[in-house]
């Protein structure tokens, strides 16, 4: 079962994506690219920071299809914040899925669960898996 | 007396031969003379560039050198340039004009570094490129940097601050290390010292 939540997750699909990190390693044989060290992905009002981010891109056109974040992830939007173990930002499907002990705080309420699926077009989110809602602020 | 019909052709043929005996040698003489009279005068001594010869002799250098070798892990390393000139007073160190370093790893990774000037340290097998270096490497990476230090025996190189394009966007970084494969790992480009990448999504027309 899941809980749908409103929110201001919407991002402009054409907004440039900025990634900053300590380093980026590109494997010359396979083309695999991985950002490591304080990685921050920014697009519009959305900020996703993580320890490591792997880039899945189309070698021919250079278009990024997916950003796979791991090593502890925090998501920040103008009025929400979320924490999880990992995140999968699919730029083509326009979805952002946080997984692993997800805790989402919105104003005074906090929701925790196993998976948070964010629809970046509609700007809505859906928490799934052992969902617990805490009103009146995050659990003490 | 023989009929005149028979004699006329005979007299005409002997006259033709008589003319031939005169005209043919003359034609031969004319042909032969063209070989000597019309031939170009041999170039005088002033067309040999003595000045340049002295300059070339005095200043030891190699024009358009090309050195290549294979690193332990199979990476081929090729250094070519416009000119290689020994630096006075520094043993086995050469100034390189318009150096071009190309490396190709067994895995197919390629890199080409071109610069304005360079310096090759023979014993240390180290090449320093300066004067604005352009690094083009697979996959789809092209960056500019002020200078690069490359190890000619392994084909690895470390650049200064870089800006340019990475396979998926515009990139700036503290430096770029072109690392050869260490047997297990394939060759890789390591942007380090703080990286900033800007990616512009190509939104297809029928987006939401």
């Amino acid at each position: 079962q899941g809980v749908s939540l409103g929110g201001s997750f919407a991002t402009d699909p054409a907004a440039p994506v900025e990634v900053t990190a300590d380093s980026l390693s590109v494997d010359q044989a396979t083309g695999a690219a991985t950002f490591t060290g304080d990685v921050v992905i920014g697009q519009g009002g959305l900020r996703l920071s993580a320890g490591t981010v792997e880039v899945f891109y189309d070698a021919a056109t250079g278009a990024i299809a997916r950003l796979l974040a791991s090593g502890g992830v925090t998501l920040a939007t103008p009025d929400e914040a979320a924490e999880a173990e990992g995140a999968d930002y699919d730029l083509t499907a326009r979805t952002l899925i946080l997984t692993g002990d997800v805790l989402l705080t919105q104003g005074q309420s906090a929701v925790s669960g196993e998976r948070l699926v964010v629809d970046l077009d509609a700007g809505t989110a859906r928490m799934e898996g052992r969902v617990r809602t805490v009103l009146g602020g995050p659990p003490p | 007396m023989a009929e005149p019909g028979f004699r006329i052709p005979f007299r005409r043929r002997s006259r033709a031969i008589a003319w031939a005996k005169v005209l043919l040698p003359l034609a031969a003489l004319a042909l032969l003379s063209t070989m000597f009279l019309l031939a170009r005068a041999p170039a005088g001594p002033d067309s040999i560039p003595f000045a340049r010869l002295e300059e070339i002799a005095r200043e030891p250098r190699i024009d358009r050198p090309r050195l290549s070798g294979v690193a332990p892990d199979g990476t081929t390393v090729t250094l070519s340039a416009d000119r290689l000139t020994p630096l006075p007073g520094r043993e086995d160190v050469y100034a390189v004009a318009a150096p071009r370093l190309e490396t190709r790893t067994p895995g197919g990774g390629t890199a080409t570094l071109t610069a304005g000037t360079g310096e090759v340290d023979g014993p240390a097998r180290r090449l320093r490129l300066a004067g604005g270096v352009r690094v083009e490497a697979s996959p789809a990476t092209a960056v500019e940097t002020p200078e690069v230090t490359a190890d000619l025996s392994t084909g690895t190189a470390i650049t200064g601050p870089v800006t340019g394009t990475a396979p998926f966007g515009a990139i700036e970084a503290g430096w770029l290390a072109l690392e050869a494969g260490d047997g297990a790992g394939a060759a890789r480009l390591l942007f380090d010292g703080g990286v900033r990448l800007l990616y512009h999504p190509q939104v297809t027309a029928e987006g939401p």
Side-chain angles (χ1 to χ4, degrees):
Chain A
Q1 89 318 3
V3 168
S4 292
L5 313 134
S8 62
F9 292 100
T11 61
D12 166 9
V17 176
E18 183 194 48
V19 184
T20 57
D22 286 350
S23 65
L24 162 67
S25 163
V26 181
D27 182 312
Q28 284 201 292
T30 62
T34 308
F35 287 99
T36 48
D38 292 338
V39 188
V40 176
I41 304 171
Q43 182 175 32
L46 181 138
R47 280 286 165 284
L48 184 74
S49 54
T52 308
V53 170
E54 208 183 330
V55 184
F56 294 89
Y57 62 98
D58 175 339
T61 63
I64 296 182
R66 266 172 72 210
L67 294 170
L68 194 57
S70 55
V73 167
T74 57
L75 170 71
T77 61
D79 40 28
E80 280 100 15
E83 289 160 22
E85 279 159 18
D88 182 343
Y89 180 12
D90 188 327
L91 281 86
T92 39
R94 304 281 302 132
T95 60
L96 174 58
I97 301 172
L98 276 71
T99 50
D101 290 341
V102 185
L103 174 65
L104 170 67
T105 52
Q106 277 176 325
Q108 283 313 312
S109 71
V111 182
S112 69
E114 277 312 304
R115 234 164 87 90
L116 178 69
V117 179
V118 177
D119 178 336
L120 292 168
D121 285 332
T124 59
R126 198 181 143 68
M127 183 71 86
E128 297 163 355
R130 294 204 332 272
V131 180
R132 285 175 45 245
T133 309
V134 178
L135 296 181
Chain B
M1 236 237 329
E3 322 88 358
F6 174 68
R7 192 189 309 282
I8 296 171
F10 182 75
R11 195 182 316 112
R12 190 183 300 129
R13 195 143 48 76
S14 63
R15 193 181 307 123
I17 290 170
W19 275 110
K21 270 193 267 181
V22 172
L23 284 180
L24 285 181
L26 274 180
L29 197 61
L31 270 179
L32 268 178
S33 63
T34 56
M35 221 165 64
F36 297 102
L37 294 180
L38 303 182
R40 271 196 324 280
D46 50 23
S47 71
I48 299 173
F50 285 111
R52 247 173 68 68
L53 281 184
E54 274 153 20
E55 181 205 323
I56 289 175
R58 187 174 62 267
E59 187 202 54
R61 61 185 183 188
I62 308 169
D63 282 343
R64 312 207 67 71
R66 186 177 171 78
L67 316 111
S68 63
V70 181
D73 71 339
T75 302
T76 58
V77 182
T78 307
L79 170 64
S80 53
D82 279 0
R83 182 176 304 149
L84 197 72
T85 323
L87 286 176
R90 295 181 60 196
E91 222 258 316
D92 228 354
V93 178
Y94 302 86
V96 192
R100 179 188 176 85
L101 181 68
E102 286 160 85
T103 63
R104 172 180 295 282
T105 66
T110 60
T112 306
L113 294 84
T114 50
T117 60
E119 198 180 279
V120 178
D121 181 330
R125 294 191 62 66
R126 188 183 57 246
L127 166 72
R128 190 169 299 113
L129 301 175
V133 186
R134 180 167 174 76
V135 180
E136 284 171 19
S138 63
T141 300
V143 290
E144 309 268 346
T145 181
E147 86 283 339
V148 168
T149 304
D151 177 339
L152 291 176
S153 54
T154 60
T156 57
I158 306 263
T159 74
V162 284
T163 59
T165 52
F168 40 82
I171 193 160
E172 291 161 23
W175 68 82
L176 164 62
L178 292 98
E179 294 179 348
D182 51 10
R188 66 176 183 156
L189 307 176
L190 179 63
F191 294 91
D192 212 331
V195 176
R196 181 174 172 278
L197 177 115
L198 197 58
Y199 166 68
H200 291 281
Q202 299 114 340
V203 184
T204 48
E206 30 74 27

